[in-house]
């Protein structure tokens, strides 16, 4: 479509050889026990960019054994906060050193723009630094008012061996929302990245080894959800599972983990609304709407895919959103000017297409896009920026995660109606409000059922602020001090002072 801003074929070169990814088990890089491998084809260039070990139950068994042994021996779990913080800071520095290499492989495997990947890796090293600061502030409580002969102490201890299962949309950033916090707590880990994006987690493993993380503390098993993920969630030597991905798999993990009653922490999907009131700074709101829906090609749990606009300004907002959407550079993710890259797989592109056709048949009105995007010279899959108006809250496109560059627009008349629409969702990850009236923003923030509320902004995030969902968007929190708490167990120590205990049998 000529009226869109399409970036085709950058100068950047694809690597001559695919990246070779192996499992990291007990400090050693290993092929799969049965020698199996799989290939990842770049979603934007259609070339094999990674060949990775395809793990099975024997590889998971060896990794969990190593993590359990490392934890129980105490060589990491009983070190001081100072020692752990020092190591985490070293890893942060190594991430900065390798930023370009990590970003390049992230882009090749995920199809996300290289400029965005660079920013994500920078954000990730900051998460390692923040987690290092928490490692030195971890403490429990003391109870000094239980009576003159009693003292109570509440200890915080690392929970133990943690299975980490991560998705393909932000591979390096999401593992960095989990691993440094678990390590700061003193846990050991077995990590499985998505089979579509294994390379950068492997590079992170290399950096952990270079920094001096003891053998068995960080283990990586590559491969598919079944059998690798399932073995990681059912093994009784694992104490906790932390998962980011789809709500469907999250529910399967809760049920798999229930056999051994592990703690499960989940970061799942969202159908995140932004509500626009007529008194808002519409220029800023429209830019944030465009950013919110096209960022990472919409393949984002925080995608602002559901816009709820006051009917007095709805037509104006839709027209201006369409105009701005046409200006967003879609295309080759290796070109530094590109803002929206490829769709992760052809199957996923088909799923996006299915939602758009279903909305059309249900009476919604496609104002822009709604088709695959042809990027000259590239053989991967891309989707046009898409704006759909006249969406009703009972349509699948208003309720389910499309995970593509597709915006649904609904309208409202009153604040109560807007909040009803916001909360009429199975998800509760994030929500936003645009208004110059502080009372409107505060009332919205308090009544929206979402783990994060943005007022007059969208998707600003900080390591200091916790992130996570209500309802079917998840359980538990990452980041902030809560991100460390997730990996801690509470132990009560009750102490009697002196020989004051009255005998039970007299
Ligand atoms: P999944 O939720 O299927 O996968 C996420 C991770 O879980 C991957 O590493 C996957 O392995 C693993 N996994 C899959 N099945 C199991 C299982 N039974 N036990 C343990 N681990 C398992 O996401 P997809 O990648 O398939 O994406 C599908 C949809 O999920 C998307 O269209 C999107 O709607 C949503 N999604 C949401 C994300 C979010 O951040 N909220 C992130 C990614 C996806 P593998 O895929 O390697 O087999």
């Amino acid at each position: 479509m000529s009226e869109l801003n399409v970036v085709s074929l950058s100068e950047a070169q694809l690597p001559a050889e695919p990246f070779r990814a192996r499992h990291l088990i007990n400090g050693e890089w290993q092929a799969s026990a049965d020698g199996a491998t799989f290939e990842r084809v770049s979603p934007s260039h259609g070339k094999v960019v990674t060949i990775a070990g395809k793990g099975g139950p024997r590889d998971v068994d060896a990794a969990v054994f190593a993590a359990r042994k490392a934890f129980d021996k105490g060589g990491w779990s009983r070190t001081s906060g100072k020692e752990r913080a020092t190591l985490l800071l070293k890893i942060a520095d190594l991430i900065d050193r390798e930023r370009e290499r990590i970003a390049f492989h992230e882009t090749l495997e995920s199809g996300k723009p290289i400029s965005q990947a660079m920013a994500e890796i920078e954000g990730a090293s900051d998460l390692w630094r923040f987690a290092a600061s928490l490692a030195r502030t971890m403490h429990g409580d003391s109870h000094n008012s239980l009576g003159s002969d009693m003292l109570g102490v509440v200890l915080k201890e690392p929970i133990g061996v943690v299975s980490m299962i991560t998705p393909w949309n932000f591979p390096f950033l999401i593992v960095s929302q989990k691993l440094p916090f678990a390590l700061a707590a003193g846990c050991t880990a077995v990590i499985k990245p998505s089979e579509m994006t294994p390379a950068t987690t492997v590079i992170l493993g290399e950096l952990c080894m270079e920094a001096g993380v003891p053998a068995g503390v960080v283990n990586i098993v590559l491969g598919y959800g079944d059998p690798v993920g399932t073995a990681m969630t059912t093994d009784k030597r694992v104490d906790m599972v932390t998962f980011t991905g789809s709500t469907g798999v999250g529910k399967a993990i809760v049920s798999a983990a229930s056999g051994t009653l592990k703690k499960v922490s989940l970061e799942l999907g969202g159908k995140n609304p932004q509500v626009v009131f007529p008194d808002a700074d519409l220029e800023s709101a429209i830019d944030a709407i465009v950013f919110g829906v096209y960022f990472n090609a919409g393949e984002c749990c925080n995608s602002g895919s559901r816009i709820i606009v006051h009917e007095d300004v709805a037509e104006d907002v839709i027209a201006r959103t369409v105009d701005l959407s046409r200006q967003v550079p879609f295309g080759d993710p290796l070109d530094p000017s590109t803002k929206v890259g490829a769709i992760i797989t052809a199957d996923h592109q088909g799923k996006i297409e299915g939602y758009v056709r279903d909305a059309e048949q249900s009476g919604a009105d496609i104002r822009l896009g709604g088709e695959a995007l042809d990027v000259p010279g590239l053989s991967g899959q891309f989707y046009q920026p898409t704006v759909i108006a006249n969406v009703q809250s009972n349509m699948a496109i208003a309720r389910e995660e499309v995970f593509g560059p597709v915006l649904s627009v609904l309208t409202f008349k009153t604040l109560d109606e807007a909040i009803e629409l916001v909360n009429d969702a199975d998800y509760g990850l994030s929500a936003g409000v645009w208004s110059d009236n502080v009372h409107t923003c505060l009332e919205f923030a308090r009544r929206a059922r979402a783990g994060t509320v943005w007022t007059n902004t969208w998707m600003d995030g900080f390591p200091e602020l916790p992130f996570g969902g209500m309802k079917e968007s998840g359980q538990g929190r990452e980041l902030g001090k809560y991100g460390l708490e997730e990996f801690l167990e509470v132990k009560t120590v009750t102490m009697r002072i002196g020989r004051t205990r009255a005998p039970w049998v007299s």
Side-chain angles (χ1 to χ4, degrees):
M1 272 177 71
S2 57
E3 71 265 32
L4 298 176
N5 185 354
V6 180
V7 181
S8 66
L9 223 51
S10 74
E11 301 283 303
Q13 298 288 311
L14 294 182
E17 288 290 322
F19 182 90
R20 301 269 168 178
R22 288 181 297 165
H23 315 292
L24 175 61
I25 299 174
N26 201 26
E28 305 279 338
W29 293 100
Q30 301 183 10
S32 305
D34 62 4
T37 59
F38 64 91
E39 293 180 341
R40 172 62 178 153
V41 172
S42 159
S44 35
H45 302 89
K47 299 259 164 34
V48 175
V49 287
T50 304
I51 299 175
K54 185 176 168 193
R58 279 189 285 164
D59 304 298
V60 177
D61 179 61
V64 173
F65 178 81
R68 185 77 257 167
K69 197 165 143 219
F71 184 82
D72 293 343
K73 263 173 48 191
W76 180 254
S77 51
R78 290 200 284 272
T79 49
S80 68
K82 178 182 169 185
E83 281 169 86
R84 285 184 223 147
T86 305
L87 213 92
L88 296 183
L89 291 172
K90 204 162 164 188
I91 295 168
D93 289 344
L94 295 175
I95 292 170
D96 286 344
R97 188 192 74 193
E98 296 297 312
R99 186 172 159 209
E100 287 194 12
R101 179 170 162 243
I102 301 170
F104 184 58
H105 287 287
E106 193 90 326
T107 289
L108 290 179
E109 287 185 346
S110 72
K112 71 173 67 214
I114 189 76
S115 56
Q116 183 193 316
M118 288 287 282
E120 285 174 20
I121 310 311
E122 190 180 1
S125 67
D126 192 38
L127 290 174
W128 283 80
R129 291 196 176 93
F130 177 70
S133 74
L134 295 179
R136 302 191 70 163
T137 58
M138 203 171 108
H139 63 85
D141 307 309
S142 61
H143 290 260
N144 197 27
S145 54
L146 305 173
S148 62
D149 57 350
M150 296 302 295
L151 179 64
V153 176
V154 181
L155 301 179
K156 296 279 178 80
E157 297 186 340
I159 198 163
V161 175
V162 183
S163 284
M164 302 183 177
I165 301 174
T166 57
W168 43 262
N169 52 349
F170 297 94
F172 199 84
L173 197 61
I174 288 175
V175 74
S176 297
Q177 291 185 189
K178 301 179 188 294
L179 183 59
F181 294 85
L183 293 178
C187 296
T188 61
V190 178
I191 308 164
K192 188 199 93 64
S194 163
E195 96 281 356
M196 285 177 261
T197 52
T200 59
T201 301
V202 167
I203 296 175
L204 181 61
E206 288 171 8
L207 301 181
C208 288
M209 293 300 100
E210 183 181 340
V213 172
V217 171
V218 173
N219 304 275
I220 301 169
V221 183
L222 309 172
Y224 288 75
D226 182 18
V228 176
T230 43
M232 286 168 62
T233 51
T234 48
D235 194 307
K236 67 177 180 198
R237 296 166 295 179
V238 170
D239 300 291
M240 174 181 173
V241 180
T242 169
F243 168 78
T244 300
S246 60
T247 295
V249 173
K251 288 179 182 175
I253 285 176
V254 170
S255 135
S258 70
T260 49
L261 283 185
K262 302 180 196 321
K263 178 173 180 179
V264 178
S265 142
L266 303 169
E267 296 297 333
L268 308 174
K271 190 72 197 174
N272 312 295
Q274 292 201 65
V275 174
V276 184
F277 284 86
D279 64 345
D281 169 0
L282 289 185
E283 196 172 330
S284 194
I286 289 160
D287 184 78
I289 289 169
V290 166
F291 162 61
V293 71
Y294 303 133
F295 176 71
N296 214 50
E299 296 167 332
C300 179
C301 54
N302 256 335
S303 172
S305 55
R306 193 162 61 111
I307 301 302
I308 303 171
V309 192
H310 193 277
E311 61 179 24
D312 287 355
V313 288
E315 273 312 310
D316 182 33
V317 168
I318 293 167
R320 289 163 66 183
T321 301
V322 165
D323 280 352
L324 198 60
S325 299
R326 290 186 205 279
Q327 296 172 39
V328 179
F330 276 57
D332 189 344
L334 287 175
D335 191 300
S337 68
T338 295
K339 281 205 185 290
V340 183
I343 300 299
I344 191 79
T345 58
D347 273 359
H348 187 59
Q349 171 109 328
K351 187 178 146 195
I352 297 170
E353 176 72 14
Y355 275 111
V356 173
R357 297 285 77 85
D358 176 74
E360 199 172 31
Q361 278 154 25
S362 308
D365 184 9
I366 300 180
R367 298 290 182 91
L368 180 72
E371 305 282 345
L373 175 70
D374 181 35
V375 178
L378 293 188
S379 54
Q381 58 280 333
F382 297 82
Y383 205 80
Q384 294 177 8
T386 298
V387 177
I388 307 183
N390 198 26
V391 171
Q392 306 305 316
S393 66
N394 60 354
M395 294 179 185
I397 202 143
R399 308 194 69 82
E400 296 172 23
E401 247 189 338
V402 175
F403 242 54
V406 178
L407 181 70
S408 295
V409 186
L410 297 88
T411 58
F412 74 96
K413 290 191 189 73
T414 64
L415 174 70
D416 282 345
E417 193 190 343
I419 288 172
E420 206 172 299
L421 284 167
V422 163
N423 291 337
D424 179 20
D426 295 331
Y427 292 115
L429 191 60
S430 56
V433 58
W434 290 87
S435 167
D436 270 357
N437 184 327
V438 68
H439 306 290
T440 305
C441 292
L442 283 177
E443 183 165 357
F444 180 91
R446 294 175 72 163
R447 289 175 62 188
R449 290 205 62 208
T452 295
V453 174
W454 284 292
T455 76
N456 295 314
T457 189
W458 188 254
M459 236 185 318
D460 279 321
F462 299 89
E464 290 84 351
L465 299 182
F467 178 70
M470 296 182 181
K471 299 195 268 184
E472 295 198 11
S473 288
Q475 54 194 36
R477 290 292 179 270
E478 292 185 340
L479 311 183
K481 65 175 181 171
Y482 306 93
L484 178 76
E485 294 284 335
E486 285 290 324
F487 297 107
L488 294 174
E489 189 67 274
V490 169
K491 180 185 279 175
T492 301
V493 181
T494 310
M495 294 175 279
R496 186 171 286 280
I497 301 162
R499 297 187 175 183
T500 59
R501 187 177 173 276
W504 186 58
V505 183
S506 52

